[in-house]
Amino acid sequence: MEVITKLLNNYYYFAAMILFVIGFHTMLTHSNLIKKIIGMNIMDTSIFLFFVSIGYVRGGRAPIIQEGAGYLYVNPLPSALILTGIVVAVSVTAYALSLIVKLYAHYGTMDADEIAIIRAREER
Amino acid sequence: MESAIFNFLPIWVVMFPFFMSMIILIISKRSEKLRDGLSVATAVVTFLSVAAMYPFIISGEIISYTIFDILPGLGITVRVDILSFSLAAIASFVWMLVSIYSIDYMSHEHGGDRYFPIFIFTLGSTLGIFMAGDFFTLFIFFELMSLISYVLVIHEETKEALRAGYKYLIMTIIGGLALFFAIILTFELAGSVSLNEGTLIHAPSTLAFFAFLSFLVGFGMKAGMFPLHVWLPDAHPVAPSPASALLSGIMLKTGAYGLIRVVFHVFNVSVVKEAGWDVLLGVLAVITILLGSAVALTQLDLKRRLAYSSVGQMGYIILGIALLNEKAMVGDVFHIFSHALMKSTLFLAAGAIIWKTGLRNINDLHGIGKKMPVTMGAFTLAALAMIGIPPLNGFLSKWTLGLGALEAGAPFYVVVLLISSLLNGLYYLPIIIAAFFGGEHEEEHGEGVKVKISEASLKMIIPIAILALSCFAFGLMPNNIAFELSVKAASFLFNGLP
Amino acid sequence: MSLHLPVLIVVLLLAASYTVPLLDRYRRGLTLPVTILSLITAFISSLYLLYLIGVQGPFVYHLGGWPPPWGIELYIDYLAVYMLIVISSIGLLVIIYGAKDLLHEINEEVLSWYYTLYLLLMASMIGIALTNDLFNLFVFVEISAIASCGIISAKADRRCIEASIKYLILSALGSGCILLAVAMIYMITGNLNFDYVAAALPEALKLYPYNIVIALGLFVVGFGVKSALFPLHVWLPDAHSSAPSPSSAVLSGLVIKIYAVALVKLLFRVFPPQIFEAIPILDVILFLSVFAVMAGSIFAMVQDDLKRMLAYSSIAQIGYIFMGIGLFGGRALTGGLLHIFNHAMMKSMLFLAAGLIIYATGIRNLKDLKGIGVRMPWTMGAFAVGAFSMVGIPGTSGFISKWFLALGALDLNRPFYVAIILLSSLLNGIYYFPIIIDAFFGTKVDPVSEFRDVPALMLIPVLILAAGVIFFGFYPKPLLDLVNKAISF
């Protein structure tokens, strides 16, 4: 029972973990490169959500400080960090996609297994 | 002031050949004559420099100092005591003679430009082993010598040579790694690997046993001890004969030298006795002796037979260490001298025959003694010394070894010595008899063109003759220099400084 | 001025990397000098930093003047400076070599972009070495991941592209793990600064043990993937063998090690020692490193492509470094860290030598290399020195690191690991020596009809590295002092 309440109280962490595992699994098991990249993005997003949820304070406002107003603010640091994280993830995605385009031009497929087969055939 | 010069000598003796080998490498492109001359000159100067240490060493002094530290407690150190000196002297002596022999031998082999620098470089690293002041320095030179002499082994670059060389190289790596293990264990247990400490490990333990075992593998591999001898009968015959003479005559002894140092400096006699490791050594020695001699009988290739004979002879030397008493050690050190002289004589003589006739098979050597009397005479003298006929040096070393065995209360070893002498007789005498008294296989060469075989050139014969005569000289009187050095070395090992 | 030096090194390299493409448009001839000059400056600055911390001890630098816990902090200690020197010296030598080699490996239009990526990679590695902030670490890790993939895919060859996407995906996986671990640490400690986290963790370990254990596990997996620790090494052979030779040299020589160093910093400076009692993470690393050492050597033995063999050998060698980490407590970590520099020298030299052979003859297959030593005595001589060092012949630097690793194993009374080290050395000998033998001795088949002479500018870095291997084999004292100070956490 206690476990379930704990989970329910921390459901956003839980959701982030599920997303992380989905992304991780997709990246490792799918041979389609585009799907791998999608998995990578799901994984990254899960971490971003996780990070942001850490910084969230229930009932808090955006951290634009007004002197003397006495509002509760959310922690701005995770959001700021995640902004950097998103930039990094986008650039990795862009780079990966450009590589996939090139690979497609060379092999005519986006499937890692098929590429391996083509290469093995050529080397023989 | 005087000792400063002597302190300088060991470094000089090691560095001079290294330096000269570079010069020879450069000069060999210009002039072959200069290359040969420089090689001989280097070997002669080195020998004289080693000999110059004699008065200092014989007075019981030890040259010992550190050149620089590589790691804390681990550096390049020099240490010359009477045992180091003895081995360095015989090594540089034989090297000098072989260098003269090499000139003509290599003149119609390819790759002399490679051979001579390597030849001189190996001299430096071998002397480095003998003059090392700790096991780390010894290890460096040991690896250097082992790796460099690979080039000597595969000099002919035939398929066979390369195969043998590969075997040699892998065994060398294994031996080197075993030494690494042994040295690091010693360092961990004792905090030092210096030879100056007297005894590094004072009590047997499991780790100490591993250290001993690894030393045994590392040095035993080089010494051609059973069951690590497998590379030796392949590697020694394929090398050019002067190189085989050095490989068998001198470089094998570095392994024996290492084992002596291990028994007396890493451990000491009582530790080895207490742990019962001498039994292990003894058993391995006996197997090595009998196996080497027995397999030599079955070999038809002259140099291969000599190589197996080396295995057997190294067994004597290991046996001498295993007996752990002073008398046996005298015989042991003296046998190092004797075997160096005998085996290099035999290999050089075999080389002269092969050089002149191209014959390697023992069955083809009928009547060769009449054509090449001096070469075969030297061969006979050395072979008789191998068998242990008095008054040759082989007899003297076996006699002292036998006395040592009796003193150790192990007459069984004397029987082994006798059996192996018998076997030595069985495989050497037929060669001699056939060479001098056998009829010739005249028509084997076909075409009716009889190749006129005569003695090899003077530059080759003189070293052989000197070596053979020294076999004779060192056996004739029991008070010769070599014997005296052996007695002093043994007494030094057992009793410390006189 | 000198106080800003740590960040200036990174900034300088970053600035240079962005300047190079601009220069490419207007003054193409200047791109290479700018690259080399900035790396020389980085090298000299590293040496000056070494002098500086020798005088005043390790110090922290607050980026933008913001003190922690808000600002990013750089921590300049001996470990960081050691890595700085390794990275800038090897990086400099490799790019000098690359100046000529790249002309024939990649298209001329992308040449200056290659320099950009190269400088970016150097900057990010230096950043990883210097930073004292978890998130900053992640950012630098990501930059170096993209840059290192970039210098592989710069070669317009489909094998390179395939290798780099494989590398990129696995690397992104590792980055994900690292970022998640960072998030978890931040969640329980509320800090990203190493020192603050380290101060908070012992207390937090009692409250949230699982979070910390999971974070530690994720860090090990993340950095393990990036530094090709054994079961996570699958990307390395393709990536390192197909890349242009200078890329292979820095990837094998530097990049995989900087992640190991990052892990060292995290394990021993951030995580409390109690955690090693809670979970046997060091034993896991040790276990994996044994597999890495053996498997890498065995795989290397069966390769017939020269660079592929070298790549597998790197897997084995990174195993030594992790073995040093796993045997923490004795002198093994000294050996592991020494091996970072030693292996950086050896492996980048071997890759550059392989590159020279490919440059001169176009041969990659080991079987075709017979007699190459006669044509290229200097190159193969350097190769032989590297091989001796790999085997651990005394007098080469590889011996020194093996010596300390073995001593460390004995310190902890685990002679088994000494046996592993020796066994793998033997395997190294078995696959390296035949190459040298074939190169110098035996059948003198003329290797190729067309033989290009190697420019001196390419040969010199290789020879300098070979000389370094021998020099530090006989005189390891300066390195050793540095490393011993670096591991006094």
Side-chain angles (χ1 to χ4, degrees):
Chain A
M1 204 54 217
E2 206 185 327
V3 180
I4 295 174
T5 24
K6 261 191 179 169
L7 280 180
L8 284 177
N9 285 341
N10 297 319
Y11 64 92
Y12 35 89
Y13 298 152
F14 193 56
M17 284 307 128
I18 290 175
L19 274 180
F20 184 84
V21 174
I22 290 173
F24 202 88
H25 183 261
T26 315
M27 262 179 105
L28 281 182
T29 53
H30 279 264
S31 64
N32 188 314
L33 291 171
I34 295 287
K35 284 188 183 168
K36 273 183 195 283
I37 301 304
I38 293 173
M40 184 181 91
N41 275 290
I42 293 176
M43 189 181 81
D44 282 346
T45 312
S46 78
I47 304 170
F48 301 154
L49 291 175
F50 181 67
F51 230 118
V52 172
S53 64
I54 293 167
Y56 181 67
V57 179
R58 199 165 293 237
R61 299 176 55 144
I64 304 165
I65 297 185
Q66 292 173 328
E67 291 290 335
Y71 294 125
L72 200 59
Y73 300 113
V74 301
N75 185 354
L77 191 69
S79 316
L81 295 179
I82 284 327
L83 221 49
T84 318
I86 290 171
V87 171
V88 171
V90 167
S91 51
V92 173
T93 309
Y95 177 52
L97 289 174
S98 76
L99 284 178
I100 292 171
V101 169
K102 278 201 161 183
L103 266 190
Y104 187 77
H106 281 299
Y107 289 99
T109 172
M110 283 186 297
D111 193 294
D113 290 346
E114 279 177 33
I115 290 175
I117 291 167
I118 293 172
R119 253 187 61 187
R121 200 182 300 138
E122 279 173 4
E123 267 166 30
R124 210 178 305 124
Chain B
M1 194 56 229
E2 201 186 0
S3 70
I5 297 170
F6 286 112
N7 276 344
F8 175 67
L9 268 177
I11 301 183
W12 164 256
V13 158
V14 177
M15 293 320 287
F16 178 64
F18 284 166
F19 176 70
M20 288 310 283
S21 71
M22 304 296 158
I23 303 268
I24 292 166
L25 185 67
I26 296 164
I27 225 110
S28 60
K29 297 218 168 59
R30 306 270 163 73
S31 148
E32 269 184 32
K33 276 226 162 63
L34 204 54
R35 175 196 78 193
D36 298 349
L38 266 181
S39 305
V40 174
T42 310
V44 171
V45 170
T46 311
F47 171 65
L48 291 178
S49 313
V50 173
M53 279 185 264
Y54 178 74
F56 193 67
I57 296 296
I58 204 75
S59 66
E61 301 281 338
I62 293 176
I63 303 171
S64 168
Y65 56 96
T66 305
I67 301 175
F68 70 96
D69 275 334
I70 288 186
L71 297 168
L74 210 63
I76 302 288
T77 53
V78 166
R79 184 177 186 275
V80 187
D81 62 16
I82 188 118
L83 181 67
S84 316
F85 172 75
S86 311
L87 282 155
I90 186 70
S92 51
F93 177 66
V94 173
W95 226 283
M96 177 177 77
L97 294 176
V98 173
S99 72
I100 300 168
Y101 176 93
S102 296
I103 296 174
D104 274 0
Y105 189 88
M106 295 313 291
S107 63
H108 66 189
E109 287 254 356
H110 77 284
D113 291 356
R114 186 171 77 205
Y115 174 85
F116 280 100
I118 298 283
F119 177 85
I120 294 298
F121 196 87
T122 321
L123 168 62
S125 44
T126 308
L127 292 178
I129 296 174
F130 293 141
M131 304 204 170
D134 62 67
F135 278 98
F136 182 69
T137 315
L138 194 151
F139 181 41
I140 291 182
F141 283 114
F142 192 80
E143 290 280 284
L144 202 60
M145 180 201 77
S146 301
L147 290 176
I148 286 290
S149 55
Y150 169 82
V151 184
L152 292 179
V153 170
I154 55 121
H155 185 83
E156 317 253 339
E157 292 188 34
T158 56
K159 254 210 171 75
E160 201 188 2
L162 284 171
R163 203 179 305 121
Y166 187 64
K167 209 172 184 178
Y168 168 76
L169 203 57
I170 294 300
M171 290 303 278
T172 296
I173 300 174
I174 293 176
L177 293 173
L179 274 186
F180 176 94
F181 191 51
I183 289 170
I184 204 162
L185 278 175
T186 311
F187 189 72
E188 180 75 13
L189 287 171
S192 162
V193 288
S194 171
L195 293 174
N196 288 324
E197 306 269 322
T199 304
L200 289 166
I201 298 174
H202 293 275
S205 64
T206 317
L207 278 187
F209 177 63
F210 275 121
F212 179 76
L213 211 60
S214 317
F215 271 126
L216 198 60
V217 170
F219 288 127
M221 185 279 304
K222 192 87 227 166
M225 184 187 70
F226 172 85
L228 303 159
H229 66 282
V230 287
W231 61 275
L232 192 152
D234 289 338
H236 286 190
V238 295
S241 294
S244 334
L246 293 174
L247 283 166
S248 260
I250 304 299
M251 289 185 221
L252 288 184
K253 308 301 184 297
T254 57
Y257 171 79
L259 278 179
I260 294 177
R261 289 294 185 199
V262 168
V263 170
F264 288 94
H265 290 266
V266 175
F267 306 98
N268 58 35
V269 176
S270 57
V271 173
V272 175
K273 268 207 179 118
E274 190 191 329
W277 296 334
D278 53 333
V279 181
L280 178 68
L281 265 181
V283 169
L284 287 175
V286 169
I287 300 176
T288 312
I289 294 173
L290 294 179
L291 179 109
S293 311
V295 181
L297 262 178
T298 65
Q299 300 299 320
L300 288 177
D301 183 298
L302 179 57
K303 282 176 79 175
R304 237 180 130 75
R305 186 174 279 194
L306 292 179
Y308 268 109
S309 152
S310 282
V311 175
Q313 300 290 319
M314 286 314 288
Y316 290 152
I317 295 173
I318 295 166
L319 181 63
I321 302 169
L323 288 173
L324 288 180
N325 65 53
E326 197 178 328
K327 191 143 270 162
M329 192 43 70
V330 174
D332 197 57
V333 179
F334 190 66
H335 196 65
I336 291 179
F337 275 105
S338 318
H339 183 243
L341 295 171
M342 301 186 289
K343 197 41 70 65
S344 26
T345 315
L346 289 172
F347 264 117
L348 292 186
I353 293 167
I354 293 165
W355 191 73
K356 212 63 203 171
T357 66
L359 299 176
R360 295 178 68 112
N361 195 306
I362 287 164
N363 292 335
D364 299 337
L365 293 179
H366 289 273
I368 197 85
K370 291 168 197 154
K371 305 234 168 95
M372 303 171 77
V374 182
T375 310
M376 271 323 281
F379 189 94
T380 309
L381 206 57
L384 291 179
M386 277 291 187
I387 301 165
I389 309 279
L392 296 162
N393 59 356
F395 167 73
L396 195 53
S397 50
K398 277 187 193 173
W399 178 256
T400 2
L401 268 177
L403 285 181
L406 288 179
E407 198 178 295
F412 163 70
Y413 290 133
V414 182
V415 178
V416 172
L417 284 177
L418 287 177
I419 292 176
S420 104
S421 296
L422 187 71
L423 290 171
N424 286 352
L426 279 178
Y427 62 76
Y428 277 124
L429 286 177
I431 307 177
I432 300 166
I433 293 169
F436 281 107
F437 307 111
E440 284 173 66
H441 296 284
E442 302 251 337
E443 263 57 63
E444 301 250 321
H445 294 288
E447 288 126 48
V449 185
K450 259 193 80 178
V451 189
K452 183 96 179 88
I453 299 171
S454 62
E455 282 288 356
S457 73
L458 218 54
K459 275 186 207 136
M460 288 168 76
I461 290 201
I462 288 175
I464 300 176
I466 294 176
L467 282 168
L469 285 178
S470 48
C471 284
F472 189 61
F474 286 149
L476 209 51
M477 330 155 261
N479 292 327
N480 58 61
I481 278 190
F483 198 73
E484 200 180 314
L485 279 174
S486 312
V487 171
K488 286 209 163 161
S491 129
F492 169 76
L493 285 173
F494 276 89
N495 312 321
L497 288 171
Chain C
M1 179 61 204
S2 65
L3 283 178
H4 290 293
L5 192 60
V7 76
L8 279 180
I9 298 177
V10 182
V11 170
L12 169 84
L13 290 175
L14 285 177
S17 79
Y18 299 133
T19 320
V20 163
L22 282 177
L23 283 175
D24 180 51
R25 180 157 294 185
Y26 302 108
R27 292 265 192 289
R28 179 161 284 193
L30 279 179
T31 53
L32 183 65
V34 165
T35 309
I36 288 177
L37 211 61
S38 55
L39 279 168
I40 289 176
T41 320
F43 179 58
I44 293 170
S45 318
S46 310
L47 290 180
Y48 180 67
L49 275 181
L50 177 65
Y51 161 76
L52 208 60
I53 57 171
V55 174
Q56 63 177 60
F59 61 99
V60 290
Y61 174 80
H62 298 149
L63 216 62
W66 290 93
W70 303 285
I72 295 170
E73 194 178 70
L74 301 183
Y75 183 56
I76 299 93
D77 63 346
Y78 281 98
L79 182 59
V81 172
Y82 173 63
M83 285 314 294
L84 244 62
I85 291 173
V86 174
I87 292 165
S88 53
S89 58
I90 305 285
L92 177 64
L93 288 172
V94 169
I95 201 65
I96 291 175
Y97 167 95
K100 281 271 184 304
D101 183 69
L102 288 170
L103 290 175
H104 89 115
E105 294 222 49
I106 59 179
N107 289 338
E108 210 185 329
E109 308 93 76
V110 294
L111 192 58
S112 51
W113 289 104
Y114 184 92
Y115 294 144
T116 302
L117 289 167
Y118 190 86
L119 288 169
L120 214 52
L121 183 61
M122 293 294 142
S124 62
M125 281 196 287
I126 287 175
I128 294 173
L130 285 175
T131 188
N132 204 29
D133 183 281
L134 280 172
F135 196 80
N136 195 232
L137 176 70
F138 165 75
V139 172
F140 278 128
V141 164
E142 280 291 344
I143 297 176
S144 78
I146 296 184
S148 46
C149 287
I151 59 171
I152 299 170
S153 62
K155 193 168 164 183
D157 173 81
R158 60 187 199 180
R159 285 183 54 192
C160 287
I161 293 162
E162 198 197 332
S164 57
I165 191 139
K166 202 170 174 183
Y167 182 22
L168 186 69
I169 285 173
L170 280 166
S171 185
L173 206 72
S175 305
C177 291
I178 293 168
L179 186 59
L180 189 59
V182 170
M184 287 186 146
I185 297 279
Y186 181 73
M187 186 170 97
I188 46 179
T189 62
N191 274 305
L192 290 167
N193 184 288
F194 281 9
D195 298 325
Y196 282 71
V197 171
L201 272 185
E203 200 53 41
L205 190 62
K206 291 177 196 133
L207 295 171
Y208 313 102
Y210 294 116
N211 286 40
I212 298 178
V213 167
I214 291 172
L216 183 58
L218 285 169
F219 272 132
V220 172
V221 172
F223 285 114
V225 169
K226 284 167 176 288
S227 52
L229 184 57
F230 167 61
L232 312 167
H233 68 276
V234 286
W235 56 270
L236 187 140
D238 278 342
H240 289 196
S241 63
S242 58
S245 300
S247 307
S248 312
V250 284
L251 289 174
S252 257
L254 298 175
V255 176
I256 53 175
K257 277 147 206 147
I258 192 70
Y259 301 122
V261 171
L263 194 61
V264 166
K265 274 166 78 167
L266 288 172
L267 279 179
F268 302 127
R269 273 191 49 213
V270 176
F271 283 96
Q274 298 95 294
I275 200 154
F276 301 133
E277 290 154 23
I279 51 162
I281 194 74
L282 290 182
D283 286 333
V284 172
I285 291 178
L286 197 54
F287 189 68
L288 293 180
S289 72
V290 169
F291 274 96
V293 165
M294 297 313 294
S297 306
I298 290 168
F299 283 133
M301 281 168 73
V302 296
Q303 303 302 322
D304 13 272
D305 183 292
L306 176 58
K307 282 178 77 175
R308 225 177 151 73
M309 186 206 84
L310 292 176
Y312 273 108
S313 152
S314 281
I315 294 171
Q317 302 289 321
I318 202 81
Y320 285 132
I321 296 170
F322 275 99
M323 195 183 275
I325 299 173
L327 289 170
F328 180 69
R331 280 168 278 189
L333 191 55
T334 312
L337 284 189
L338 265 182
H339 203 59
I340 288 181
F341 185 48
N342 291 339
H343 183 245
M345 283 194 298
M346 306 187 273
K347 193 44 69 65
S348 45
M349 176 178 76
L350 289 173
F351 265 118
L352 295 186
L356 279 176
I357 294 168
I358 294 168
Y359 180 90
T361 64
I363 296 175
R364 295 177 65 113
N365 197 309
L366 290 174
K367 291 194 181 69
D368 303 333
L369 286 177
K370 284 195 164 57
I372 195 83
V374 183
R375 297 296 280 279
M376 308 174 74
W378 290 104
T379 307
M380 282 315 289
F383 193 94
V385 169
F388 288 156
S389 186
M390 284 285 175
V391 180
I393 304 290
T396 56
S397 62
F399 173 80
I400 307 288
S401 35
K402 277 189 187 162
W403 175 262
F404 275 99
L405 274 176
L407 271 184
L410 289 177
D411 282 345
L412 300 184
N413 210 2
R414 287 166 157 177
F416 167 71
Y417 295 98
V418 184
I420 292 290
I421 293 170
L422 295 181
L423 196 56
S424 86
S425 304
L426 175 66
L427 294 178
N428 284 347
I430 289 175
Y431 63 80
Y432 274 116
F433 281 10
I435 302 174
I436 304 166
I437 296 170
D438 278 353
F440 284 106
F441 311 113
T443 40
K444 294 258 163 41
V445 194
D446 198 44
V448 266
S449 44
E450 50 190 291
F451 181 85
R452 254 202 295 184
D453 278 330
V454 173
L457 207 57
M458 285 169 74
L459 194 56
I460 287 169
V462 178
L463 294 181
I464 291 176
L465 287 168
V469 168
I470 292 175
F471 177 78
F472 288 112
F474 278 107
Y475 189 61
K477 197 172 172 304
L479 273 184
L480 201 59
D481 290 347
L482 192 54
V483 167
N484 277 332
K485 280 180 198 154
I487 61 165
S488 54
F489 298 109

